[in-house]
């Protein structure tokens, strides 16, 4: 009997140890998930800020070229810079340095003719023909003595002559301030790194690390090669702190964010909650030993075993009935043996109506497949599985449940059993969906953004190929919009774009269609299963309704805002149906509409592939 009691106690202690180990692993997984979300948020924010810092550079270059020989060019550029700064709050400064490295104009207060010829970015642009904006190494600003990240672009005059460099800067402190919004503990840190391994920002800020190259670090040499998003443990070379880190790399800019929390700090926080469980466990085990000592004198071995089993069942039910989550146990056939009272609140079903029924009862095909897969993994030896399912209450309300399924030790003479803990994550799911929607929406117009357009374009092309259906693309561009901005200002320009977007939104109402702000004043519209006459009808309706708005535009021929629209349609039988050819045809049609006098709709023709040209030739020669 003593041996049996000892074995039972060891098993109980082992179960508790396994439970605490599982709790610790769950806490680590939770922290890693939180850190991955933090890293993704940081890199998304960095993408947006870098993109925002690039946008004013093109406008500055255009103004510099237009005013190249004008004596008042510095003051005009300065005015434009201050206007651009108002629409880009994340920027620190905008500046223009001429071909000799002398400061011509800046949004900041600085003495003229300050020499920037010694800057790396100046010499790089001077000796390179690369025309696009470049994110440089962090430098100390000569204006404010703050650490900043420069985004620079080469200025080339019409004759190909080097005209200097335009610079927008972002404070390193801006990224540090953004990181402080996330709860990663007092010893948490983050890195923002360029795709080639150059450190752009570190929080808490560490000046000696800024601008250094860590491409030899395991983050670049191993983890980023395996996946663009992930997590790993490491020891910081700066302070020797063991950290749990998570990283995310942008597919658009290549920027990498690494968010990390102190492993010791995470463990200490987990330990605070674990101590309470351990205290109750110790008291429970002491009570069990005391009870066994008494029962051994008054009951037989079988009665002792039954009493112990009844006590454990009562303890489980007490814990389950005091929990706000739904706790249920299952036999090896998936039939519910017990369901906690919280099922009435969360599932909308009384627990007695669930006991004795299969877990598959009432599930749709997709949900049943998920549960079947998880059950198979448990039966194959897995101890713990997690999954998410949609549940419809009897009232019709839809909620999302996250369920943790764990394998229980088998009772004597019985098959394997499992316990499931389900919690309502509807609010979390809603927040995730809202964040996903915001990431794919253009802030100014409320239309989808270019990132969404690129993803949906490829998907809709493949669907059109699969379904042998037509696909039409409309490229809508406001006529002489730069002159509109120059005449009425950028605030009026933004309002004009919003009104144009509202018209397009009213004209494109089918759930299968997509309207996106492609860039600047250009809007792209994808019309699924729409032939050429239908696409022309939609385009003409858009053009006419924008003309009816009669937004004043003195620099445009009708004295109001108009649009030119290029239309291209890939028919169901066209073998040339691909994103590149369809976009090229629509863009050529837009150019044709502009060249033809604007305020009109033009049709683009997709090129025939070689196979179609041969078949067409055979068909004609056979007539």
């Amino acid at each position: 009997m003593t041996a049996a009691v000892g074995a039972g106690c060891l098993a109980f202690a082992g179960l508790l140890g396994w439970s605490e180990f599982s709790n610790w692993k769950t806490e680590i997984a939770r922290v890693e998930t939180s850190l991955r979300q933090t890293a993704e948020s940081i890199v998304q924010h960095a993408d947006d800020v870098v993109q925002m810092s690039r946008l004013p550079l093109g406008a500055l270059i255009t103004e510099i070229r237009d005013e190249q020989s004008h004596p008042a060019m510095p003051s005009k550029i300065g005015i434009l810079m201050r206007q651009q700064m108002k629409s880009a709050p994340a920027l620190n400064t905008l500046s223009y340095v001429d071909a000799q490295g002398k400061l011509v104009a800046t949004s900041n207060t600085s003495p003229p003719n300050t020499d920037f010829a010694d800057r790396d970015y100046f010499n790089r642009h001077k000796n390179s023909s690369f025309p696009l904006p470049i994110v440089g190494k962090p430098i100390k600003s000569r204006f404010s003595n703050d650490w900043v990240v420069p985004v620079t672009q080469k200025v080339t005059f019409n004759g190909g002559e080097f005209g200097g460099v335009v610079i927008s800067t972002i404070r390193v402190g801006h990224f540090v301030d953004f990181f402080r919004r996330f709860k990663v503990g007092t010893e948490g840190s983050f890195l923002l790194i360029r795709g080639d391994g150059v450190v752009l920002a570190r929080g808490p800020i560490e000046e000696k690390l800024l601008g250094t190259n860590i491409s030899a670090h395991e983050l670049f040499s191993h983890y980023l090669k395996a996946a663009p998003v992930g997590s790993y443990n490491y020891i910081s070379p700066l302070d020797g702190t063991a950290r749990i880190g998570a990283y995310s790399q942008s597919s658009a800019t290549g920027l990498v964010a690494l968010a990390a929390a102190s492993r010791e700090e995470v463990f200490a926080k987990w330990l605070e909650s674990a101590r309470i469980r351990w205290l109750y466990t110790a008291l429970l085990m002491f009570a069990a030993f005391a009870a066994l000592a008494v029962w051994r004198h008054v009951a037989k071995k079988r009665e002792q075993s039954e009493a112990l089993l009844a006590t454990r069942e009562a303890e489980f039910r007490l814990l389950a009935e005091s929990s706000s989550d739904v706790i249920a146990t299952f036999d090896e056939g998936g039939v519910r043996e017990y369901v906690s009272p919280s099922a009435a609140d969360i599932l909308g079903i009384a627990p007695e109506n669930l006991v004795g029924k299969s877990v598959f009862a009432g599930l749709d095909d997709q949900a049943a497949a998920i549960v079947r897969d998880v059950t198979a993994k448990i039966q194959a030896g897995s101890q713990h599985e997690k999954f998410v399912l949609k549940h419809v209450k009897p009232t019709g309300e839809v909620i999302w449940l996250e369920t943790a399924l764990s394998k229980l030790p088998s009772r004597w003479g019985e098959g394997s059993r499992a316990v499931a803990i389900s919690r309502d994550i509807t609010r979390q799911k809603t927040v995730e969906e809202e964040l996903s929607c915001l990431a794919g929406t253009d802030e100014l117009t409320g239309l989808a953004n270019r990132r969404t357009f690129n993803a949906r374009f490829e998907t809709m092309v493949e669907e059109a190929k699969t379904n042998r259906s037509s696909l039409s693309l409309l490229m809508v561009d406001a006529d002489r919009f730069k002159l509109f901005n120059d005449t009425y200002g950028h605030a009026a320009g933004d309002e004009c774009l919003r009104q144009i977007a509202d018209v397009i939104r009213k004209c494109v109402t089918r759930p299968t269609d997509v309207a996106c702000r492609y860039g600047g004043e250009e809007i792209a519209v994808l019309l699924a299963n729409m032939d050429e006459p239908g696409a022309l009808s939609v385009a003409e309706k858009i053009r006419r309704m924008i003309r009816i708005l009669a937004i004043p535009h003195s620099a445009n021929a009708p004295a109001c805002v108009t649009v030119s629209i290029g239309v291209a349609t890939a028919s169901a039988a066209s073998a040339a149906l691909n994103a590149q050819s369809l976009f090229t045809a629509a863009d050529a049609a837009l150019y044709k509409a502009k060249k033809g006098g604007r305020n009109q709709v033009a049709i683009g023709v997709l090129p025939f592939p070689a196979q179609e040209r041969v078949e067409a030739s055979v068909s004609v020669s056979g007539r």
Side-chain angles (χ1 to χ4, degrees):
M1 177 177 177
T2 303
V5 171
C9 291
L10 288 175
F12 185 64
L15 180 61
L16 291 174
W18 172 83
S19 177
E20 289 305 311
F21 179 75
S22 296
N23 285 336
W24 169 240
K25 288 298 182 182
T26 300
E27 177 65 12
I28 290 293
R30 185 196 66 79
V31 170
E32 289 178 346
T33 299
S34 177
L35 289 172
R36 278 197 295 272
Q37 293 171 347
T38 299
E40 289 171 355
S41 297
I42 292 172
V43 83
Q44 175 65 56
H45 179 72
D47 269 0
D48 294 341
V49 171
V50 169
Q51 181 64 24
M52 187 183 301
S53 68
R54 288 174 174 172
L55 293 177
L57 300 183
L60 287 176
I61 292 174
T62 300
E63 187 74 11
I64 291 167
R65 288 173 179 167
D66 291 345
E67 305 294 339
Q68 178 180 354
S69 303
H70 201 287
M73 178 186 72
S75 61
K76 289 188 176 184
I77 296 174
I79 292 172
L80 178 58
M81 286 176 177
R82 286 186 285 276
Q83 291 174 345
Q84 295 282 3
M85 289 292 290
K86 290 179 182 178
S87 61
L91 293 186
N92 185 41
T93 60
L94 283 171
S95 305
Y96 167 47
V97 174
D98 66 15
Q100 286 72 44
K102 301 296 183 182
L103 180 66
V104 176
T106 180
S107 62
N108 207 329
T109 55
S110 178
N113 296 324
T114 304
D115 192 357
F116 287 83
D118 60 333
R119 289 296 199 191
D120 289 342
Y121 59 75
F122 177 82
N123 291 297
R124 180 175 182 177
H125 284 299
K126 184 177 180 180
N127 299 320
S128 171
S129 60
F130 189 70
L132 300 179
I134 297 175
V135 179
K137 292 182 178 180
I139 56 175
K140 273 210 170 184
S141 171
R142 289 178 178 168
F143 299 145
S144 61
N145 205 35
D146 291 333
W147 280 94
V148 296
V149 176
V151 180
T152 61
Q153 187 170 357
K154 181 177 183 179
V155 178
T156 305
F157 292 137
N158 293 332
E161 177 187 357
F162 174 59
V165 181
V166 287
I167 311 115
S168 63
T169 61
I170 312 159
R171 285 191 317 106
V172 170
H174 172 84
F175 298 111
V176 177
D177 292 341
F178 181 78
F179 171 70
R180 290 195 181 107
R181 302 178 187 178
F182 300 95
K183 296 180 180 179
V184 293
T186 58
E187 297 183 17
S189 67
F190 93 101
L191 286 177
L192 181 63
I193 316 161
R194 212 166 60 184
D196 59 355
V198 173
V199 177
L200 301 180
R202 199 261 185 185
I205 194 164
E206 190 70 42
E207 293 189 1
K208 66 181 180 181
L209 190 61
L210 298 180
T212 59
N213 192 305
I214 61 169
S215 58
H217 191 272
E218 59 181 337
L219 172 61
F220 283 83
S221 63
H222 177 69
Y223 292 103
L224 281 171
K225 290 182 179 180
V229 179
S231 56
Y232 68 104
N233 295 334
Y234 69 97
I235 297 177
S236 171
L238 288 177
D239 52 19
T241 300
R243 286 192 168 94
I244 304 169
Y247 62 90
S248 176
Q249 183 171 36
S250 167
S251 59
T253 62
L255 294 176
V256 179
L258 173 65
S262 165
R263 189 176 182 89
E264 182 178 347
E265 199 169 39
V266 171
F267 180 76
K269 186 176 180 180
W270 174 81
L271 195 59
E272 288 180 7
S273 62
R275 284 192 181 116
I276 298 174
R277 296 195 301 270
W278 296 348
L279 175 60
Y280 283 118
T281 300
L283 292 174
L284 182 63
M285 292 186 69
F286 177 79
F289 276 117
L292 284 172
V294 175
W295 292 338
R296 191 166 57 177
H297 295 287
V298 298
K300 295 180 180 180
K301 183 177 180 179
R302 183 176 182 83
E303 293 173 345
Q304 292 174 342
S305 177
E306 291 176 353
L308 180 60
L309 180 60
T311 300
R312 290 179 177 175
E313 289 287 348
E315 291 167 356
F316 172 80
R317 288 178 180 269
L318 179 62
L319 292 173
E321 290 172 4
S322 62
S323 173
S324 60
D325 297 333
V326 178
I327 301 177
T329 58
F330 304 87
D331 64 16
E332 60 183 341
V335 176
R336 297 182 182 91
E337 297 177 333
Y338 168 80
V339 180
S340 64
S342 56
D345 293 329
I346 295 181
L347 304 180
I349 304 173
E352 58 269 20
N353 293 334
L354 294 172
V355 173
K357 293 185 178 179
S358 171
V359 68
F360 295 100
L363 297 181
D364 57 32
D365 293 342
Q366 182 179 6
I370 294 174
V371 175
R372 194 174 292 109
D373 179 63
V374 171
T375 303
K377 290 179 180 178
I378 291 290
Q379 291 176 345
S382 176
Q383 298 296 313
H384 185 78
E385 293 291 336
K386 249 185 192 180
F387 58 94
V388 175
L389 287 181
K390 180 172 67 176
H391 173 74
V392 181
K393 292 184 176 181
T395 59
E397 179 186 358
V398 177
I399 63 171
W400 288 89
L401 297 175
E402 180 185 68
T403 300
L405 186 65
S406 301
K407 192 173 184 179
L408 291 175
S410 300
R411 294 175 178 173
W412 292 327
E414 294 182 0
S416 60
R417 299 165 64 246
V419 60
I421 303 176
S422 301
R423 62 182 55 188
D424 187 347
I425 61 166
T426 305
R427 184 177 179 184
Q428 175 186 338
K429 193 81 172 176
T430 302
V431 170
E432 290 174 354
E433 290 174 355
E434 288 175 354
L435 289 176
S436 177
C437 179
L438 287 174
T441 302
D442 176 64
E443 183 178 1
L444 175 63
T445 62
L447 300 176
N449 58 22
R450 184 166 179 174
R451 179 181 299 174
T452 302
F453 170 81
N454 291 336
R456 292 287 293 126
F457 196 9
E458 293 291 342
T459 301
M460 292 175 73
V461 166
E462 293 303 317
E463 289 175 352
K465 286 181 179 179
T466 302
N467 301 330
R468 301 292 291 171
S469 59
S470 300
L471 178 63
S472 293
L473 171 62
L474 278 57
M475 298 300 295
V476 184
D477 189 79
D479 296 328
R480 297 187 173 93
F481 192 74
K482 182 182 183 301
L483 295 177
F484 184 92
N485 276 336
D486 293 342
T487 304
Y488 301 98
H490 288 275
D494 289 349
E495 178 58 29
C496 177
L497 287 178
R498 279 191 284 266
Q499 292 189 49
I500 291 174
D502 286 341
V503 169
I504 292 175
R505 196 178 287 108
K506 292 174 183 176
C507 295
V508 181
T509 58
R510 298 188 307 170
T512 56
D513 299 336
V514 180
C516 310
R517 185 182 180 192
Y518 187 75
E521 69 275 13
E522 197 169 11
I523 296 175
V525 179
L526 288 165
L527 302 173
N529 198 19
M530 179 74 74
D531 58 13
E532 186 173 278
L536 285 174
S537 175
V538 173
E540 184 57 29
K541 183 178 180 182
I542 293 171
R543 185 201 66 78
R544 186 174 63 255
M545 289 184 66
I546 292 173
R547 177 66 178 83
I548 292 172
L549 288 177
I551 302 171
H553 187 355
S554 59
N556 198 31
C560 66
V561 171
T562 60
V563 295
S564 298
I565 304 177
V567 178
T569 299
S571 67
S574 174
L577 178 51
N578 61 73
Q580 182 60 46
S581 62
L582 187 57
F583 181 87
T584 301
D587 196 51
L590 176 60
Y591 177 80
K592 179 181 176 182
K594 291 283 188 182
K595 190 175 180 182
R598 298 180 173 84
N599 190 24
Q600 60 181 265
V601 178
I603 303 173
V605 180
L606 270 71
F608 282 100
Q611 182 180 356
E612 283 195 24
R613 288 199 295 269
V614 171
E615 291 174 354
S617 175
V618 172
S619 177
V620 171
S621 64
R623 289 180 181 173

